[in-house]
Every structure is written in structure tokens, then in C-alpha cells.
Amino acid sequence: MSATHDVRHHRLLYGCMGLGGDWDTSPYAARDVDAAEAAITAALDIGITGFDHADIYRYGKSEAVFGEVLARAPDLRSRILLQTKCGIRLADDSGPGRYDLRGTHIVRSVEESLTRLRTDVIDVLLLHRPDPLADPDDVAEALTSLHRQGLVRDFGVSNMAAPQIAQLQARLDRPLVANQLEMSLAQRAWVEAGVLVNTPESAATGFPLGTVEHCRANGIGLQAWGSLCRGRFTGAQETPTEHGTAEHVAALAKRKGTTPETILLWWIQRHPARITPVIGTARPDRIRACRDAATRAPDLTHDEWYELWLTARDGALP
């Protein structure tokens, strides 16, 4: 098994936010490393070779336990792609939760991630969220320096709209390769923003119209976080619509000879933007339930895709 360093060629990514123990500053334990190893092994078993991190996940412990697993298997690093994010600072003694895309913070975050991950290079660095105080020239200078030093291969963004991406790209010699957004059958604004134009509902989507199109036109890979809908259609239903959607997903999975998790991922992958879902569950059994989405082309017809959409939105299209 070999991993491509171009994240846009990965069918699925494994999101490591669930690894590393509790969401606090307490030390992680040996059992947390074992749990991380089990999740990573399950991902590798179904063909996933791209792993998504952020410096803030579990206060850095997600990266740290992953680094422990890499230390246990020295040959693993050469077979995988490592992606991490920076730019969010959690509340601490020095201030409240805030965003920070100053060049000095970006560089320091990368250096700390490299140490925790026990690697000498990050394959993809994403800027986690927009910082209103960021100077695009300062950001670009930091990214360019990190690449020239061989510390980061490629760059992208997360949770950004088309104009924000364009502003940064104009200052970079290297192309941005990814934009990670919340996209799923439960969070459908990325789809609905484009069809609700000129309707009263358009203002309620909250999604920046044109961002998907901008990414497609400029070769920026779209990544979908929250792609499994936090279990809302595979066991954690709360509303009548969610129950109805879960039943529809399960019936379709049975008809296709696959799992409900795969149906949810296929719904995203079926879109012509060639979106890469990020699966975030830490349960090995649920990771393995995504196997067909990692290895097979989406087996959904045009009508089946629309049936899922309409069931989840619980209403007709305009």
C-alpha cells in the first residue's frame, strides 16, 4: 500500500479529532495510544491512507498519540499522508478562545505539530478558520518560509469562502490544494445555497454562495468534515425527519449490499465536485463500515441521490 502526497487524490480521509483521551490538558494514557492504534489500523485496513489533524484536537493530544503510534511502526510514515490545521487558540490564561493567523503563530504551531507527530514534514497544512486580524501578506510569507524549509509540502484552508481563498492565493506562488467545510446529508447548505437563489429561503442557508464553484474552477479539493452526520442517520436520531431519513438510508444500504455509513458518504462523493469526506469516528467497527466508500465508486443513481436529499430536507425543492 502506498499513499499519494496529493490530498486531492484521496477518496476518504480519517479525522483524528476523537483520538487522545479527554478534551482537557490532562496527560493521555497508554490506553489512549492503544485506542488510537486500533482506529488507525482500522482505517488502513479499508484503504484510507490520509489522516487529518489539528493542533487543538484534545489540546494537542490527538497529534501526540498519533506520533506514539508512528514510533511503534517506523515504516508507517512513508505510507500515509499527514494533514494538520492551525489558527485556532483555545481559551487559556492568556485569553479567551480566539483565532490567530499571525505568521509567528503559524510557524510556532507547525513546529509544535511536527514534534507531537514525530515527523519531519507535514504533507498538508490547513488554516483552520479565518482570522479577521490576519494580514494576508504576513500569512503568505509564513507559508512560503515553511515550504522553503521543507517543513510543509502543501497548503489549504478550512471553513473559508471564495473571496478569502482568492485573497490568500493571490499572494502565494504555490496553489492552495484544499478547503475543508462542513458538508453532509445533515448539513446541506453547501448544496442548497446553489438552488435556493431567488427564493425567500436563500438568506437562511448561511453558506457563501459560489465557494464550491470557486474551488472546482481553481483545482482546490473540497473536504467534508462532519460527513457521517454525527450518527444522526445511523443510530442517534432525535426527530421524526431524522428517523425517516435513517430508515431510508438503511433500506437503500440493504438494497445496495452495503452499510448506512457508506450511503451517507456516497451521497457526498456522488457530487461532481469530487468531494473527499473526512470520517471522524474513533470506533474501529464504524470505521470499517465505511469500506465501500473508500474502495468503490458511489453506487447512487441520479434519482436515488435526490430521494436522499428530499427525505433529509423534509420538503420539496422550489
Side-chain angles (χ1 to χ4, degrees):
M1 178 175 53
S2 62
T4 173
H5 287 306
D6 190 337
V7 71
R8 293 167 293 188
H9 294 167
H10 287 249
R11 192 184 293 270
L12 287 181
L13 296 176
Y14 178 69
C16 298
M17 185 173 69
L19 309 182
D22 296 328
W23 267 97
D24 58 31
T25 58
S26 63
Y28 61 84
R31 66 178 179 274
D32 299 317
V33 180
D34 292 339
E37 185 173 39
I40 294 165
T41 298
L44 293 168
D45 284 348
I46 67 169
I48 294 176
T49 57
F51 294 85
D52 173 70
H53 290 269
D55 56 356
I56 62 165
Y57 290 166
R58 313 280 162 165
Y59 285 80
K61 291 183 291 185
S62 296
E63 289 183 333
V65 295
F66 199 98
E68 294 262 20
V69 174
L70 289 180
R72 291 179 177 181
D75 68 323
L76 179 57
R77 178 64 184 98
S78 64
R79 297 188 286 127
I80 64 173
L81 177 143
L82 282 181
Q83 172 177 282
T84 195
K85 299 181 282 292
C86 70
I88 297 178
R89 296 180 63 182
L90 300 172
D92 55 23
D93 292 341
S94 64
R98 65 271 197 203
Y99 306 141
D100 192 343
L101 290 182
R102 289 175 293 179
T104 53
H105 180 74
I106 292 171
V107 171
R108 183 170 62 252
S109 295
V110 167
E111 292 171 347
E112 292 172 352
S113 288
L114 287 168
T115 298
R116 287 190 292 265
L117 289 166
R118 304 193 186 196
T119 187
D120 58 359
V121 62
I122 290 168
D123 295 308
V124 186
L125 176 70
L126 304 185
L127 305 181
H128 208 159
R129 283 194 178 273
D131 173 8
L133 294 181
D135 177 346
D137 292 314
D138 181 43
V139 174
E141 183 179 349
L143 301 188
T144 300
S145 175
L146 288 168
H147 179 71
R148 287 176 177 167
Q149 293 178 70
L151 300 180
V152 180
R153 289 193 170 100
D154 284 309
F155 301 96
V157 298
S158 179
N159 304 300
M160 289 197 187
Q164 295 166 315
I165 298 169
Q167 177 179 243
L168 178 58
Q169 183 63 79
R171 291 163 170 81
L172 291 171
D173 293 331
R174 294 185 58 77
L176 295 169
V177 300
N179 184 17
Q180 190 176 115
L181 302 160
E182 185 173 15
M183 297 186 285
S184 70
L185 186 60
Q187 296 295 333
R188 300 174 303 279
W190 60 282
V191 168
E192 305 210 347
V195 302
L196 295 177
V197 174
N198 200 35
T199 72
E201 296 177 77
S202 62
T205 65
F207 189 86
L209 182 63
T211 296
V212 170
E213 293 79 3
H214 175 86
C215 291
R216 291 183 67 186
N218 290 278
I220 300 169
L222 286 162
Q223 300 177 5
W225 64 267
S227 59
L228 290 176
C229 310
R230 298 180 179 86
R232 288 169 61 180
F233 303 139
T234 53
Q237 300 81 39
E238 296 180 359
T239 68
T241 298
E242 290 176 5
H243 279 284
T245 304
E247 290 174 359
H248 187 84
V249 168
L252 191 55
K254 184 176 181 180
R255 191 160 77 241
K256 299 286 184 178
T258 189
T259 63
E261 287 84 358
T262 290
I263 295 297
L264 295 176
L265 299 173
W266 276 351
W267 189 80
I268 299 169
Q269 293 172 321
R270 178 68 171 75
H271 192 278
R274 299 179 65 182
I275 300 164
T276 300
V278 182
I279 60 171
T281 177
R283 288 171 41 189
D285 62 325
R286 199 161 182 239
I287 295 170
R288 290 190 171 93
C290 301
R291 181 185 301 274
D292 287 344
T295 58
R296 292 170 52 189
D299 183 13
L300 291 177
T301 67
H302 187 277
D303 288 349
E304 288 167 342
W305 190 89
Y306 267 87
E307 287 168 1
L308 284 164
W309 181 15
L310 292 171
T311 302
R313 85 187 303 269
D314 195 26
L317 292 171

